[in-house]
Amino acid sequence: MIQQMLNFFVYFFSSPSVMSIGLAVVFGAIWLACYRPPLITKPWLWAVFAAGAVLAPIAIAVTAFPLRFGISWVYGSLWSQETLSQWALLASLPSMYLFGLVQEGFKLLPVVAYWWREGRDIEPKLGLAAGAVSGAGFGILEAQWTLSYIFTSGWNWEKVQIEGLVALAGFWESFFVIGVHVASCALAGWGLARGWGWQFYLLAAFVYLLPSYTYVLMSKELITAVQAEFLIAVWALIATGVVLWLRERKSKV
């Protein structure tokens, strides 16, 4: 398993391109601009951003290998493959939520580090901004990996001409997944600053749950790929709207 994780890290950084990195940064900047983080007056936020990015491949590797293996082992010990197949929609929920807890936990680490350094007392609006920045760093690095795979797999504009908008699904998904990453961590950062750290951490993991669960629904052919992309986009917009409402609500108090 250790070798698999090492191979994953090599693969994660094996084929970055100017195009994939540039698009990921643009996508992240668009979402982050909605939150207006004080990156100039609070330069430490750049460190939070960098830490969020560094933690992205680690979190993905942890969920993809030891955690996934452990869940599969537990499920396999309790139920037969036939039973798991019949109850896949229900059985997938705990594992998907656990994946969310791990990813949100890694994204929140830079925010918690600053919160602790400041004597566990920061303004909720600043906690929200810090969470958004960490989520953006995480989402951008994950997106550049996804976009690099798209470009190296032979994507070109001819595919768009032949397949239409379906050929752009990977870019669409990457854009809105970054939005989910930013919103969920911003929500957790706001809750941490308000003194509701663990409650909002659990809530942030739930925000991550729906986009992940769409893949289960697709595997069971309950929704199409286009419908899954639409659900992810709607969820990203809803999550962003809720968090921005909290931000503006707090600013008026």
Side-chain angles (χ1 to χ4, degrees):
M1 186 179 299
I2 294 177
Q3 186 60 48
Q4 287 179 316
M5 294 180 70
L6 292 175
N7 291 339
F8 168 79
F9 285 120
V10 172
Y11 172 68
F12 191 93
F13 297 104
S14 62
S15 57
S17 66
V18 174
M19 184 64 74
S20 62
I21 295 173
L23 273 178
V25 170
V26 170
F27 289 171
I30 291 172
W31 286 108
L32 200 54
C34 299
Y35 296 84
R36 305 194 304 274
L39 292 169
I40 297 178
T41 58
K42 301 288 185 181
W44 59 266
L45 285 175
W46 290 105
V48 173
F49 174 86
V54 168
L55 290 170
I58 300 174
I60 295 171
V62 168
T63 54
F65 297 104
L67 186 58
R68 191 178 298 275
F69 174 81
I71 291 173
S72 298
W73 181 83
V74 170
Y75 278 9
S77 300
L78 296 175
W79 300 288
S80 66
Q81 288 299 318
E82 182 180 357
T83 301
L84 288 174
S85 179
Q86 291 175 347
W87 294 90
L89 292 176
L90 186 60
S92 298
L93 286 172
S95 58
M96 290 297 177
Y97 187 69
L98 187 56
F99 291 161
L101 288 174
V102 172
Q103 294 224 4
E104 294 304 323
F106 273 97
K107 281 192 290 182
L108 198 55
L109 281 175
V111 185
V112 171
Y114 179 77
W115 171 75
W116 191 273
R117 179 178 175 274
E118 293 297 306
R120 298 182 293 180
D121 183 23
I122 59 176
E123 288 293 322
K125 191 172 181 179
L126 187 56
L128 185 149
V133 169
S134 181
F138 189 103
I140 287 172
L141 206 68
E142 182 185 63
Q144 74 80 28
W145 171 50
T146 303
L147 295 171
S148 293
Y149 174 78
I150 292 173
F151 287 123
T152 56
S153 65
W155 184 92
N156 53 48
W157 285 109
E158 291 183 7
K159 286 197 171 187
V160 180
Q161 296 173 353
I162 296 172
E163 301 176 12
L165 294 178
V166 175
L168 298 174
F171 300 96
W172 170 282
E173 179 180 341
S174 294
F175 176 76
F176 284 105
V177 166
I178 292 178
V180 174
H181 279 305
V182 176
S184 63
C185 197
L187 183 66
W190 185 86
L192 177 69
R194 288 296 303 269
W196 303 324
W198 69 268
Q199 295 96 327
F200 274 74
Y201 167 54
L202 296 179
L203 185 59
F206 173 76
V207 174
Y208 172 89
L209 176 64
L210 180 62
S212 301
Y213 196 63
T214 57
Y215 297 105
V216 179
L217 298 176
M218 284 175 56
S219 69
K220 292 297 180 181
E221 299 183 348
L222 295 175
I223 61 173
T224 65
V226 173
Q227 289 171 330
E229 304 295 351
F230 178 76
L231 285 173
I232 292 172
V234 171
W235 189 243
L237 293 174
I238 291 173
T240 300
V242 170
V243 177
L244 291 179
W245 175 78
L246 287 174
R247 180 186 186 278
E248 296 307 316
R249 175 175 175 268
K250 182 58 184 174
S251 67
K252 296 175 182 177
V253 175

